[in-house]
Amino acid sequence: MIYDLIVIGGGPAGLAAASAAHDAGSREILVLERDERLGGILNQCIHNGFGLHTFKEELTGPEYAQRYIDILTGKGIEYKTDTMVLDISSDKDTLIKTVTAVSGSDGLTVYSAYAVVLAMGCRERSRGALNIPGYRPAGIFSAGTAQRLVNIEGYLPGRRVVILGSGDIGLIMARRMTLEGAKVLACAELMPYSGGLKRNIVQCLDDFGIPLLLSHTVTEIRGKERVTGVVISEVGEDRKPIPGTERFYECDTLLLSVGLLPENELSKELGTEISPVTGGPVVSESFETSVPGVFAAGNVLHVHDLVDFVSEEAAAAGAHAAAFAAELKDRAGAPDTELRDRGIEITFDGGPRYTVPQFINPAHVSGPVKVRFRVGSVLKNRVVKVLFDGNCVLSKKRNVMAPGEMEELLLKEELFAGNRGLKEIRISVEEESV
């Protein structure tokens, strides 16, 4: 049997993509998840704040995941847990995808599909990427690992804690460790701004009196068997430690919240084009990668702030994947590859580091296109303009933009209707004129 669609990953992105594909007409759908249960990282995110955009109410992570699991099972969508995908390949002539997976119950299994959605999520950057001097003692955890230990396994990693990095997981764990009785001494951030949401800084640090040390980093880890303390130093504009600013913090635990990396080993082996900035696949407005019939959404594409945005993006990818599968089936193995032209690359200046999608084909646009981007530094009093062949078609004022907050622009379908011969799409961030 050839499935209409195989979704790799059963987290929030995979669940939303599968559900939307079913709504779009696909019936033979398979979700493959390597963990023992569906839901992904949400299962360990027991704090609230999820679902305000999607379900118009505040939910915990497991509650949010369960809503989508119930939708999935209610539609009779097939899924397999404890199943690790080893390889994905695509036939260049027929565009049929082959997915090789292994599980304890089924052994090594090969599946075929007309389309694939990549929804593998992301992973945390480890200590090995930081080159911090010192031994390798016990007591050093990524923030996500500590979250799993506390919320699922029921273990407290330590009593006196220092956090390196101000990503959202690190901020949330500062509060969580405090509530469990640990003393969080400080949260050090290399950059002159936080990498997390403003609301998390307020609710997780300010409300508990935990200091946020901007332009600081850990320059030494002390202890041989177990962490006994860390040295934190101030850094200059070149991000290098300033001699004489060292300060010792006696602690038994160091949590690392130093960035997330999209999980794209399978994507790279498949041959998809990877963005050097996001670490995820380069996609068009339909979230299709450079490999026809392979779509990507969620944190495997670029790291998001809110799970609601992950679900929204993945739902669009799932619907487009269903449309591709239907088209391929109708053509009976003779795909029209010209229809897969990615179109115009989005360029930018004045602050953005990247955009998602990276390409838009005006001929393929069948609804509003949402373009998301992040800036590389804190910008104030700016105007964001969208230019079609040099002509401004959309302008938005932004009082403050920060790297920790994702920005988005909604391009209505009618903007493209009269621009079928469009040659350039540019996003420009300019200082607001007085």
Side-chain angles (χ1 to χ4, degrees), residues 40-240:
I41 199 67
L42 290 178
N43 290 320
Q44 67 184 52
C45 299
I46 65 173
H47 52 280
N48 60 8
F50 302 91
L52 290 172
H53 295 270
T54 306
F55 298 109
K56 310 305 179 186
E57 60 179 304
E58 195 171 39
L59 304 171
T60 64
E63 287 174 327
Y64 186 96
Q66 192 61 49
R67 292 284 180 95
Y68 269 102
I69 293 171
D70 291 343
I71 292 171
L72 190 84
T73 55
K75 293 177 178 178
I77 297 174
E78 182 182 357
Y79 67 89
K80 294 180 180 293
T81 55
D82 277 323
T83 301
M84 171 71 78
V85 175
L86 303 177
D87 181 69
I88 309 171
S89 61
S90 178
D91 188 287
K92 293 182 180 180
D93 295 323
T94 65
L95 299 188
I96 299 297
K97 315 299 179 294
T98 301
V99 177
T100 304
V102 64
S103 71
S105 58
D106 298 334
L108 188 68
T109 310
V110 178
Y111 306 95
S112 295
Y114 293 105
V116 167
V117 174
L118 305 174
M120 294 89 72
C122 60
R123 66 175 185 270
E124 294 179 282
R125 195 185 302 272
S126 66
R127 179 194 172 180
L130 304 179
N131 297 320
I132 303 174
Y135 291 98
R136 303 181 65 84
I140 304 173
F141 303 89
S142 69
T145 299
Q147 185 181 58
R148 181 179 180 87
L149 288 172
V150 174
N151 294 346
I152 294 183
E153 307 297 338
Y155 294 108
L156 186 64
R159 294 288 181 180
R160 291 178 63 83
V161 183
V162 168
I163 299 175
L164 175 60
S166 60
D168 287 314
I169 303 176
L171 298 176
I172 290 168
M173 282 310 296
R175 176 179 62 185
R176 190 77 182 98
M177 295 292 285
T178 301
L179 292 174
E180 289 300 322
K183 174 66 175 176
V184 180
L185 305 175
C187 179
E189 169 58 54
L190 178 69
M191 305 301 287
Y193 49 80
S194 171
L197 295 171
K198 180 66 176 178
R199 75 179 191 190
N200 284 334
I201 298 172
V202 173
Q203 296 174 1
C204 301
L205 296 186
D206 297 349
D207 288 357
F208 293 91
I210 299 170
L212 174 60
L213 307 178
L214 298 176
S215 296
H216 284 74
T217 191
V218 172
T219 51
E220 185 182 351
I221 300 173
R222 295 184 182 175
K224 196 167 184 180
E225 300 300 325
R226 173 84 192 196
V227 172
T228 58
V230 299
V231 175
I232 295 180
S233 303
E234 186 177 352
V235 300
E237 294 183 359
D238 59 358
R239 310 288 181 256
K240 294 182 179 180

Side-chain angles (χ1 to χ4, degrees), residues 271-288:
T272 60
E273 181 183 352
I274 301 295
S275 166
V277 180
T278 65
V282 172
V283 296
S284 66
E285 79 289 335
S286 63
F287 299 100
E288 188 175 23

